[in-house]
Amino acid sequence: MIPMPPIEPTPHIPSPPPPPLTVRLIERHTDLVALAPLLARDARIAVDSESDSFHHYTEKVCLLQISTQRETVLLDPLQLDNLSPLLPIFANPMIEKVLHGADYDVRTLARDYGVAFDPLFDTMVAAQILGLPEWGLAALLKRYFGVILNKKFQKADWSRRPIAEEMIRYAAEDTAYLLPLRDILGEELTRQGRLEWLREECRLLVDNRTGPRPPPSCFNIKGAGRLEPKQQAVLQALLEFREAAARDTDRPPFKIVANEILLELAAQQPTLPDELSHLRGLTPHVLGRYGAGLLTAIRTGQAVPPEQWPKRRPFTHSPIDPKQEARLKRLKAARDRHAVSLGLSPGFLCSNAVMERLVRLDAPTADAVAPQLTRWRFSILGNDFLAILGPTVGR
């Protein structure tokens, strides 16, 4: 008999909690300095940020939202010299920072301003640990408070100044309900004995850092595998041209020329301006600005000698053998069984990639398996996984 998943938390809807009473925009360093001791009095603060990655080549944090029980403050980093007065607040272990989908905020705020969050409560991860069917902030606010979150400015250019009043209200909504949402989810995590699971997940999140921007690679473009090697060389040259154009104009690469068009150019390799104009998606504006550069990139790619054509990185692992495949199948079955009993998404409990790494272990001891899983996952899956992975005659 398959055990039933735990009962989902009951939505709390009768009426939404009132958001913080006031919203104010901080653009002067003196006001930021005055804010720090006020935040230091709170046991919890809600945090979010807005960046401009949809509009610029080099993204940056353009707005920082912080909500307390009293108010929501919007900090304008483009007007402030730095955020140094708040760094001790973010790192203070006695003040819990509540974010939703914190991974991106953690990385970008660390990159731009040296922000380190300790401790962190991620409401999206909390929803995943509770096995809720939807984890997005809009879905959670509707579920628990009956609030319909406005998504109008989700991809807005937050670097534009002045910030429109409607955008200020939109940004404030992202943190206004996070503290009461945290209380609901935290209470349910405690009831189910899963609060420590969340703490462990969040400790891993705060260590995330943004690495340097990788150079463009034709093998990262969906559909490039269908091209011939010489066509891949042309595609690589086109990508490098697009990257340089994006950097020079401070625009995201996808806003210069779409991947689908570059694939078509690499396949057809037109050499004359008139041939470019027949390609769907190459508008007169794009042709006028980038047509000559695209043709030059095509010629550059065509001139690459065969020994310099792009090559995929060699796979670090050979395909798994039949015995490993059998063990992987058993690991998935054990994982799925536990996921059902706990009401969790199987992929959240343990990904297929992790299980494939496990079946490749030469010596699948507890000391080797445990680091591939978090502590809470190992406490659930460890015994079954070790029994499946351990050496057995005839396996």
Side-chain angles (χ1 to χ4, degrees), residues 11-207:
H12 299 190
I13 291 189
S15 61
L21 299 177
T22 60
V23 177
R24 59 189 175 108
L25 181 63
I26 291 181
E27 301 172 293
R28 298 184 305 173
H29 194 75
T30 53
D31 294 333
L32 180 63
V33 171
L35 174 66
L38 299 179
L39 295 180
R41 302 184 314 200
D42 288 275
R44 292 174 185 150
I45 59 173
V47 182
D48 190 25
S49 67
E50 306 291 348
S51 298
D52 60 355
S53 60
F54 284 101
H55 300 273
H56 297 277
Y57 179 79
T58 303
E59 67 170 355
K60 57 187 175 295
V61 176
C62 300
L63 196 69
L64 183 65
Q65 305 101 290
I66 301 177
S67 286
T68 68
Q69 299 288 359
R70 303 175 301 280
E71 66 173 351
T72 290
V73 291
L74 306 182
L75 280 60
D76 186 349
L78 304 187
Q79 304 298 323
L80 299 166
D81 294 333
N82 56 69
L83 299 180
S84 57
L86 298 189
L87 297 186
I89 303 295
F90 293 133
N92 188 339
M94 303 304 293
I95 302 174
E96 183 180 72
K97 275 62 68 172
V98 181
L99 290 86
H100 184 87
D103 177 65
Y104 183 77
D105 302 289
V106 166
R107 288 185 287 108
T108 55
L109 287 168
R111 178 199 65 203
D112 290 0
Y113 298 103
V115 172
F117 289 105
D118 179 30
L120 171 69
F121 187 109
D122 190 325
T123 51
M124 186 180 81
V125 176
Q128 291 175 301
I129 290 176
L130 290 172
L132 298 182
E134 295 182 280
W135 314 323
L137 182 59
L140 292 174
L141 295 190
K142 183 178 180 181
R143 175 187 181 90
Y144 289 108
F145 306 129
V147 170
I148 304 300
L149 197 61
N150 180 6
K151 296 183 180 181
K152 180 178 179 180
F153 298 106
Q154 203 164 31
K155 296 182 180 180
D157 186 355
W158 290 94
S159 67
R160 298 184 64 180
R161 294 296 182 272
I163 306 174
E165 184 64 33
E166 192 177 7
M167 292 175 69
I168 289 176
R169 291 196 300 271
Y170 167 93
E173 281 187 343
D174 277 351
T175 53
Y177 296 97
L178 279 185
L179 294 182
L181 177 63
R182 180 258 178 259
D183 289 339
I184 292 171
L185 298 178
E187 179 183 337
E188 190 61 27
L189 288 168
T190 301
R191 188 185 72 80
Q192 294 192 23
R194 300 182 183 184
L195 186 58
E196 186 52 40
W197 299 6
L198 175 82
R199 288 174 176 156
E200 185 177 1
E201 293 293 304
C202 289
R203 282 194 293 269
L204 295 173
L205 272 176
V206 298
D207 292 332

Side-chain angles (χ1 to χ4, degrees), residues 205-245:
L205 272 176
V206 298
D207 292 332
N208 282 353
R209 292 294 182 269
T210 297
R213 190 187 194 107
S217 168
C218 65
F219 297 115
N220 291 333
I221 303 299
K222 185 178 179 181
R226 296 192 295 270
L227 298 177
E228 297 295 327
K230 187 171 184 178
Q231 293 173 323
Q232 291 173 345
V234 172
L235 177 59
Q236 183 64 36
L238 287 165
L239 286 170
E240 291 170 3
F241 162 75
R242 184 179 71 172
E243 191 77 7

Side-chain angles (χ1 to χ4, degrees), residues 255-270:
K255 286 195 173 183
I256 302 296
V257 185
N259 289 348
E260 295 78 8
I261 296 175
L262 295 187
L263 279 169
E264 192 67 21
L265 288 170
Q268 296 191 18
Q269 298 183 25

